[in-house]
Amino acid sequence: MEITEEQRRRAEANRLAALEKRKRVADLSNADSWKLSKCPRLRGPATVEPGVPQLSPFRAVLEVCSPDEFSVTPEPLEGCCFPGEAECLRIIENSVLSVVPFQPMLSQGGRMTSVFKLSEYDVVLRCIKKLAVVQLQEIPYTTRLVAEKFSQSVGIRWVPCMEGHYSEEQVDELLQKLPKSLRDALLPFQIEGVRFALRRGGRCLIADEMGLGKTIQAISVACCFSDEGPILIVCPAVLRHSWAEELEHWLPTLVPKDIHLVFGHQDSLDYLERHPKVVVISYKMLSRLRKTMSERNWSLMIVDESHNVRCTKKHIESEETKSILELATKVKHIILLSGTPSLSR
């Protein structure tokens, strides 16, 4: 097939254009090194699509909330816009829903949280760690170990899991030491509180709210161990007489001379001919008579308003805390009472 003259001219023009382009490329590659080539266009900032919300970072606090459960609670981060508890829980839900059940709920303080089994802790932790917007506050490892130990005893029947714990049979025997009037006066939840303390060898914190009978529970526990030796009660100064009255009321076997109240140095045990069965002392006097009190062999110590035992920069409070801690290491049974428990800062 013959081509026309017009087609021949176009083909020749295309050939010459291709040769010229090849020559320019060759000249550019052989150019001096100081010559600058054309800079590529820089990509501008990414544009945010309208209608797509940007996630703000927040903190997820993991806490043990029961012997076999832990909670995940969202909290705002300083300097960041908090997206809200519901939105934060939705983000967490999307990350863990395919692995473990997710159930948002309201805590006692009215805050939204989610509760998981302690056995699912590692799985939940791995899922939340994948979220870039979440800053985790994990449960301390030692706290987890203690919680897992106690979770073994959660169920229909108590099973001692640590040295010094008592079985249900031993607890029943100890409860038989209570006077009938005291045993009959205990409400069902108070009896359970006493059993809780006895199961753990008389070393626990009773943190019922004010007016629910922490005092009578502590007296009941003390009565169960009263045959092991004298009892020490540490309380605020204004409560010394109240404790003496409660002891005389609930323990008929105690007479006034069996209860010794310490008001000053003149009431030191060094000046007594016989050791009383119960000694009631304030925090301040305990720190002042620290040496004398620590030399005695106490079978049980009750620390009322135990939230006062805290680490602060105040010299007086630190001395009171040291006195309590020194005795706590020597006393076999210790009951802490507080209606407002708080973490030591």
Side-chain angles (χ1 to χ4, degrees):
M1 178 179 178
E2 295 183 0
I3 60 174
T4 62
E5 187 66 25
E6 180 66 23
Q7 291 174 334
R8 187 179 290 107
R9 285 198 301 270
R10 289 181 180 177
E12 182 64 18
N14 291 338
R15 187 181 69 82
L16 293 175
L19 291 174
E20 183 65 23
K21 183 177 180 180
R22 184 181 299 176
K23 183 180 178 181
R24 287 199 305 269
V25 172
D27 293 340
L28 184 61
S29 61
N30 296 329
D32 296 336
S33 59
W34 57 268
K35 289 186 177 181
L36 298 178
S37 60
K38 186 177 180 181
C39 296
R41 177 178 295 180
L42 297 178
R43 182 174 298 179
T47 58
V48 179
E49 297 183 11
V52 178
Q54 298 299 305
L55 299 178
S56 299
F58 62 92
R59 179 185 293 110
V61 181
L62 280 61
E63 298 176 305
V64 176
C65 59
S66 75
D68 61 340
E69 294 177 324
F70 73 97
S71 63
V72 180
T73 306
E75 290 185 354
L77 282 175
E78 185 177 355
C80 298
C81 181
F82 187 51
E85 294 177 340
E87 178 64 20
C88 294
L89 288 179
R90 186 191 64 79
I91 296 172
I92 297 174
E93 176 184 4
N94 292 338
S95 67
V96 304
L97 191 57
S98 60
V99 182
V100 295
F102 181 88
Q103 181 62 45
M105 58 184 297
L106 286 177
S107 64
Q108 292 182 351
R111 302 174 60 187
M112 293 190 67
T113 183
S114 184
V115 178
F116 302 91
K117 292 293 184 182
L118 269 176
S119 57
E120 302 166 346
Y121 181 83
D122 293 329
V123 177
V124 174
L125 190 65
R126 284 197 299 269
C127 293
I128 300 179
K129 279 185 175 180
K130 296 178 182 178
L131 300 174
V133 295
V134 179
Q135 183 184 101
L136 269 175
Q137 182 176 319
E138 302 180 30
I139 301 173
Y141 179 70
T142 52
T143 303
R144 282 184 55 201
L145 286 182
V146 174
E148 289 172 358
K149 276 280 188 179
F150 281 110
S151 66
Q152 300 172 7
S153 303
V154 176
I156 300 176
R157 187 169 180 81
W158 161 263
V159 178
C161 57
M162 294 182 66
E163 184 180 356
H165 285 186
Y166 290 85
S167 64
E168 289 289 3
E169 291 76 13
Q170 293 173 310
V171 170
D172 292 336
E173 292 179 6
L174 290 172
L175 288 175
Q176 295 302 318
K177 298 181 180 181
L178 295 179
K180 186 178 184 303
S181 58
L182 176 56
R183 190 165 55 247
D184 294 341
L186 289 171
L187 297 174
F189 77 91
Q190 293 172 338
I191 295 177
E192 183 57 34
V194 175
R195 298 185 72 93
F196 176 89
L198 295 178
R199 290 175 188 139
R200 289 155 181 81
R203 296 183 71 90
C204 75
L205 165 66
I206 300 178
D208 292 338
E209 295 183 6
M210 185 176 63
L212 295 183
K214 295 186 294 295
T215 301
I216 190 174
Q217 293 179 60
I219 292 176
S220 300
V221 176
C223 181
C224 294
F225 297 112
S226 59
D227 56 351
E228 296 184 10
I231 298 169
L232 176 64
I233 299 176
V234 185
C235 63
V238 296
L239 298 179
R240 285 174 291 196
H241 283 293
S242 299
W243 269 100
E245 293 174 358
E246 291 292 324
L247 289 166
E248 292 179 10
H249 176 71
W250 295 114
L251 301 180
T253 56
L254 290 180
V255 295
K257 66 178 181 180
D258 293 329
I259 304 173
H260 181 66
L261 304 183
V262 179
F263 294 96
H265 288 276
Q266 70 277 5
D267 300 317
S268 174
L269 301 182
D270 295 334
Y271 304 135
L272 300 180
E273 296 180 358
R274 57 184 294 272
H275 200 296
K277 294 182 179 179
V278 181
V279 175
V280 184
I281 190 172
S282 65
Y283 286 93
K284 182 179 293 185
M285 288 309 305
L286 178 65
S287 62
R288 292 179 179 178
L289 300 176
R290 180 175 172 180
K291 184 175 183 297
T292 301
M293 303 302 290
S294 61
E295 290 176 350
R296 305 285 174 163
N297 294 322
W298 307 99
S299 66
L300 182 140
M301 178 170 67
I302 298 174
V303 184
D304 195 10
E305 304 295 341
S306 60
H307 51 267
N308 291 317
V309 183
R310 58 185 183 272
C311 301
T312 66
K313 296 182 180 180
K314 295 182 180 179
H315 177 71
I316 297 178
E317 291 182 348
S318 63
E319 289 301 316
E320 294 174 357
T321 300
K322 289 178 182 178
S323 303
I324 295 290
L325 294 179
E326 182 178 342
L327 281 171
T329 58
K330 300 178 180 179
V331 179
K332 182 179 180 181
H333 313 292
I334 177 170
I335 305 296
L336 304 180
L337 305 179
S338 175
T340 55
S342 60
L343 293 175
S344 179
R345 300 298 180 187

